[in-house]
Amino acid sequence: MAYDALAESLRLITSGMPDGPVRLSRRRRFAPVAVDVDGDVAATRFLRRGVGCHWDETHLLTVDDRGAWRMLGGGGASDEDPTAEEFERARDGLGPYQVLPGGSAGVVRDGGSPLPRATRWVRGSAVLVGRGIAELQVDGRHLPVPHHGHLIVVWGSRRPPTVTAHDDTGRTVATATVSPPG
C-alpha cells in the first residue's frame, strides 16, 4: 500500500515532525522521518514498509508560480530489515559528535536551460548524526535532531552546504559538507 507522497510532504512542511519514535506496522505502512525547508525548496524524508523490506524515501519539492508546493521527484533505497528498529539503531555505531552525510538526490527545478550553468536544481542529502548532537545549523536554518538521528538537508544552490552541529548547550561540536548528488 502506497502513501500520497505530496499530501504527506505538505503535512510535514506545514506541521513539522511529530514527536515519538518511527513505528511501522501492517496498518501503519509509512512514517515521516525528516523535513527541511529553505525558502521555496523543500525536502521530506519517509520510511515506508514494503514487502520484506523497508524503504527510505526522499521527496524534493518547490513552490510554483501560483505559490503552491509541487513535487519534483526524489529517490529511495531499501533495506532487507522490515522493521523500523534497525533504522532507529543506525547511529549506535557513530561517535557522539559524528556527522555522517549519506545518500543524496537532485532534480532539475524548472525544466532546465540549454546552458548547463543556468539550469537550476533542487538537491537533498540524508544526514545521520551521533547522540551528542541536538541541532544542525544549515545556512541560518536550525534543524532539531529527532530521537533517531536521521535528517534531510535541502539546497537550491550549486554548491552543497556545510552543516554545523551543536550539542544541547549550543556548543559547536562538528562541521561537515553534505554530499552532492552523484
Side-chain angles (χ1 to χ4, degrees):
M1 173 192 264
Y3 63 102
D4 184 337
L6 177 58
E8 294 301 328
S9 291
L10 293 176
R11 183 185 336 264
L12 202 50
I13 289 168
T14 58
S15 301
M17 284 293 298
D19 292 333
V22 174
R23 296 285 184 241
L24 298 177
S25 68
R26 290 182 185 173
R27 297 184 117 181
R28 179 72 173 157
R29 312 265 321 158
F30 71 95
V33 173
V35 62
D36 184 21
V37 178
D38 183 15
D40 62 351
V41 297
T44 58
R45 189 172 173 194
F46 292 87
L47 193 63
R48 178 177 58 88
R49 183 179 170 158
V51 177
C53 67
H54 72 260
W55 290 88
D56 185 353
E57 299 178 332
T58 297
H59 306 288
L60 301 174
L61 302 95
T62 189
V63 175
D64 65 19
D65 296 338
R66 298 181 323 259
W69 287 101
R70 71 179 172 97
M71 184 83 66
L72 294 174
S78 66
D79 189 337
E80 291 179 11
D81 185 349
T83 67
E85 287 78 22
E86 186 67 28
F87 181 81
E88 298 243 354
R89 288 192 304 264
R91 70 181 178 162
D92 287 351
L94 295 181
Y97 303 123
Q98 189 172 354
V99 176
L100 183 62
S104 57
V107 293
V108 173
R109 180 177 177 166
D110 49 15
S113 166
L115 304 172
R117 292 210 177 264
T119 300
R120 296 186 328 158
W121 287 75
V122 176
R123 296 175 172 98
S125 181
V127 177
L128 180 64
V129 299
R131 295 190 185 282
I133 298 174
E135 177 185 82
L136 285 186
Q137 187 171 6
V138 185
D139 294 334
R141 302 186 310 279
H142 299 272
L143 304 176
V145 175
H147 63 280
H148 49 67
H150 293 269
L151 295 111
I152 189 77
V153 174
V154 70
W155 69 99
S157 62
R158 288 186 18 216
R159 291 188 177 191
T162 298
V163 298
T164 305
H166 301 277
D167 66 10
D168 58 359
T169 67
R171 181 175 59 110
T172 298
V173 294
T175 59
T177 300
V178 296
S179 303

